């Protein structure tokens, strides 16, 4: 009997609670002394898994404790384990954005809520002049009216007109030097030659219009030399406002109902990454065009999941996710983006906001959630997986006072074990003498 108690002391810390009447104080009656032995095993688990507890009690007469988790026998099993984690998210359309009118005038037409607007279609009208959707990543930031202008915004216009079927002519290759003309006319690309590698003309007499080497102003000409046109070097991703491109702009303007000027104003084009869906209309016909007109989103849906910083270690871009819809059907997806959002205000002492991380999950089959505009969903992140490992319930683990863990066999013998993966209430175990089908004690 003494040896069994010694083994129990090695297994876990015991706390003896003594209660009873004080013999020096008169009482209504004397209560019998009771001894309650409590063995507590706390197993800290990653991912919020609970602790395994084993209670073992005795009193002076050997009776069972009045309360506490019951102990039962269970077999060690060989199984596959997967450390998935489920979090709440919100299903909705991607990339919400507010559209604000550019320039002056009155709104004369707006789309209906829920409408989809694609490339080349009008998003709204101001003074009966349409604002048309172009796809791209660079918005128009200037009036395109100078032949020979170079920039990424011009590339957006050129690419979209070509995609809409307009012949825009050849665009100068990267590295080509072009001259900006003061007025409409032919745009002559200039191929860099000897001594002509600068993007701006050198100081001194201006070069001749044809750009020939060694040609300058006549020294005998009266009056100061007139300044030459500015030059720019075409970079990768740039477009050039050539004569042929301006002619294509005129043909496009005629088709959409604009004046055929060959000039693109800021209010003529709204640049988006792809087709947009009108989620809300904020203005009405007759309002000033300079205010907020509508909110739009992409036509695809995704799930946004707010994630605590402690949980971010196991989430990576491209990771597989299972999305559980409100009707309990599941849709496969992947982690598309991980972004940090600061919520709060910026004060004199610095930021007073809280930093949160949003994980965006894209759906492999967007059509599967076509009937849902917005809804709370569950996102199940797939974690580490192992096949064919030995596992027991977490409640079968006993924390040894000298360190490490053990399981108790049905006969009372303790077997030290090494722990591995924790998942869904199970823990992977290994060690000498640990076999598939072996009976161990666990809390009920």
């Amino acid at each position: 009997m003494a040896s069994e108690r010694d083994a129990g002391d090695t297994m876990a810390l015991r706390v003896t609670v003594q209660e009873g009447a004080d013999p020096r104080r008169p009482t209504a009656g004397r209560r019998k002394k009771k001894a309650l032995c409590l063995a507590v095993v706390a197993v800290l688990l990653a991912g919020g898994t609970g602790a395994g507890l084993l209670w073992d009690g005795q009193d002076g007469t050997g009776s069972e404790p009045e309360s506490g988790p019951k102990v039962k026998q269970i077999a060690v099993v060989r199984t596959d384990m997967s450390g998935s984690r489920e979090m709440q998210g919100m299903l909705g359309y991607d990339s919400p954005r507010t559209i604000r009118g550019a320039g002056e005038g009155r709104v004369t037409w707006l789309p209906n809520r829920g409408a989809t607007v694609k490339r080349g279609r009008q998003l709204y009208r101001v003074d009966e002049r349409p604002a048309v959707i172009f796809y791209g990543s660079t918005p128009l930031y200037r009036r395109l009216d100078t032949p020979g202008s170079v920039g990424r915004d011009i590339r957006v216009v050129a690419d979209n007109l070509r995609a809409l079927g307009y012949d825009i002519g050849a665009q100068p290759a990267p590295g080509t030097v072009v001259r900006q003309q003061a007025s409409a006319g032919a745009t002559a690309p200039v191929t860099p030659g000897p001594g002509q590698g600068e993007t701006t003309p050198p100081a001194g007499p201006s070069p001749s219009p044809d750009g020939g080497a060694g040609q300058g102003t006549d020294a005998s000409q009266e009056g100061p030399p007139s300044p030459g046109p500015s030059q720019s070097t075409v970079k990768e991703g740039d477009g050039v406002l050539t004569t042929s491109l301006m002619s294509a702009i005129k043909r496009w303007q005629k088709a959409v109902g604009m004046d055929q000027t060959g000039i693109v104003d800021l209010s003529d084009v709204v640049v988006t990454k792809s087709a947009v869906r009108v989620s809300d209309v904020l203005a009405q016909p007759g309002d000033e065009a300079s205010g907020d007109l509508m909110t739009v989103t992409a036509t695809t849906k995704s799930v946004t999941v707010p994630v605590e910083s402690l949980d971010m270690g196991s989430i990576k871009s491209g990771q597989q996710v299972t999305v559980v819809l409100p009707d309990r059907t599941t849709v496969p997806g992947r982690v598309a983006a991980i972004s940090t959002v600061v919520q709060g205000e910026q004060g004199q002492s610095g930021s007073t906001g809280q930093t949160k991380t949003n994980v965006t999950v894209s759906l492999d089959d967007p059509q599967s959630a076509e009937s849902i505009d917005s809804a709370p969903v569950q996102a199940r992140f797939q974690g580490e997986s192992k096949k064919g490992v030995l596992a027991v319930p977490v409640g079968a683990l006993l924390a040894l006072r000298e360190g490490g863990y053990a399981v108790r066999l049905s006969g009372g013998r303790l077997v030290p074990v090494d722990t591995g993966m924790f998942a869904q209430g199970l823990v992977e175990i290994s060690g000498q003498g640990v076999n598939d089908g072996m009976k161990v004690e666990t809390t009920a």
Side-chain angles (χ1 to χ4, degrees):
M1 193 68 178
S3 61
E4 291 182 3
R5 292 185 180 179
D6 291 343
D9 289 341
T10 347
M11 180 268 292
L13 178 63
R14 293 181 179 271
V15 180
T16 302
V17 179
Q18 182 80 21
E19 65 176 5
D22 189 337
R24 294 171 298 177
R25 294 179 181 268
T27 61
R30 292 182 177 275
R31 293 177 292 176
K32 293 182 179 181
K33 295 182 181 180
K34 296 182 179 180
L36 177 62
C37 300
L38 175 64
V40 180
V41 180
V43 182
L44 299 178
L45 306 181
T49 308
L53 300 179
L54 177 63
W55 293 69
D56 182 15
Q58 291 181 343
D59 60 14
T61 62
S63 61
E64 295 294 329
E66 296 178 0
S67 64
K70 296 180 180 179
V71 176
K72 65 178 182 179
Q73 302 289 328
I74 196 168
V76 177
V77 296
R78 187 173 297 278
T79 184
D80 299 338
M81 298 182 66
S82 176
S84 62
R85 180 175 303 177
E86 194 166 290
M87 303 180 189
Q88 185 168 354
M90 181 62 68
L91 172 67
Y93 286 95
D94 296 337
S95 309
R97 171 185 172 186
T98 300
I99 300 295
R100 189 178 182 86
E104 300 178 352
R106 296 278 178 179
V107 177
T108 53
W109 180 84
L110 290 164
N112 294 326
R113 184 178 182 273
T116 297
V117 186
K118 300 180 180 180
R119 186 200 329 250
R121 302 290 182 146
Q122 63 178 359
L123 185 60
Y124 60 89
R125 296 178 74 93
V126 174
D127 294 342
E128 285 302 283
R129 184 181 180 93
V132 179
I133 290 285
F134 276 2
Y135 296 167
S137 57
T138 304
L140 266 62
Y141 54 88
R142 55 181 170 171
R143 191 170 189 256
L144 302 181
D145 60 355
T146 305
S149 298
V150 178
R152 293 181 180 271
D153 53 343
I154 300 172
R155 178 67 174 269
V156 170
V157 174
D159 288 348
N160 278 271
L161 290 182
R162 183 187 289 113
L164 291 171
Y166 293 92
D167 181 8
I168 66 169
Q171 282 280 294
T176 303
V177 177
V178 297
R179 294 190 181 90
Q180 290 185 6
Q181 305 297 320
S183 58
T187 304
V190 181
T191 304
Q196 191 182 15
E198 300 294 330
T199 59
T200 57
S206 61
S208 61
D210 61 1
Q215 296 182 4
T217 57
D218 189 346
S220 64
Q221 183 179 0
E222 295 182 0
S226 59
S230 61
Q231 297 178 347
S232 297
T233 300
V234 181
K235 300 182 180 65
E236 192 69 37
D238 282 345
V240 180
L241 193 58
T242 61
T243 301
S244 56
L245 177 56
M246 296 184 76
S247 297
I249 291 172
K250 290 180 181 179
R251 296 192 298 274
W252 167 72
Q253 288 173 329
K254 180 180 179 180
V256 298
M258 297 180 184
D259 294 335
Q260 301 177 59
T261 61
I263 297 170
V264 182
D265 285 315
L266 290 174
S267 58
D268 293 342
V269 170
V270 179
V271 179
T272 61
K273 292 183 178 179
S274 60
V276 296
R277 176 185 179 274
V278 179
S279 58
D280 198 8
V281 179
L282 307 177
Q284 58 184 358
D287 287 350
E288 291 286 345
S290 57
D292 293 342
L293 304 182
M294 68 189 77
T295 56
V296 300
T297 65
T299 57
T300 56
K301 296 189 184 86
S302 64
V303 176
T304 301
V305 183
V307 180
E308 298 294 337
S309 57
L310 293 177
D311 296 327
M312 280 307 302
S314 60
I315 298 178
K316 297 177 177 57
S317 182
Q319 181 177 350
Q320 291 184 350
V321 183
T322 300
V323 177
V324 184
L325 300 178
D327 61 359
R328 305 309 298 171
T329 59
T330 59
V331 181
R334 292 182 181 275
V335 175
I338 300 174
S339 58
T340 301
V341 179
V342 179
Q343 297 180 340
E345 298 180 354
Q346 187 75 21
Q348 295 181 351
S349 59
S351 175
T352 58
Q354 296 181 345
T355 301
K356 293 188 176 181
T357 302
N358 285 337
V359 175
T360 301
V361 177
S362 61
L363 304 180
D364 291 351
D365 180 16
Q367 300 299 322
S368 58
E370 187 177 11
S371 61
I372 305 174
D373 284 351
S374 178
V377 295
Q378 296 295 321
R380 192 177 299 146
F381 293 85
Q382 300 299 327
E384 179 187 8
S385 296
K386 289 188 176 181
K387 293 185 177 296
V389 298
L390 296 176
V392 294
V394 174
L397 283 183
L398 304 174
L400 301 176
R401 185 166 57 185
E402 61 269 22
Y405 300 99
V407 293
R408 185 193 292 272
L409 302 184
S410 57
R413 184 169 63 91
L414 296 179
V415 177
V417 296
D418 294 323
T419 60
M421 181 178 179
F422 291 88
Q424 300 177 352
L426 296 177
V427 56
E428 175 192 358
I429 61 171
S430 60
Q432 185 175 3
V434 179
N435 301 310
D436 184 7
M438 184 175 69
K439 295 288 187 178
V440 298
E441 292 182 351
T442 183
T443 54

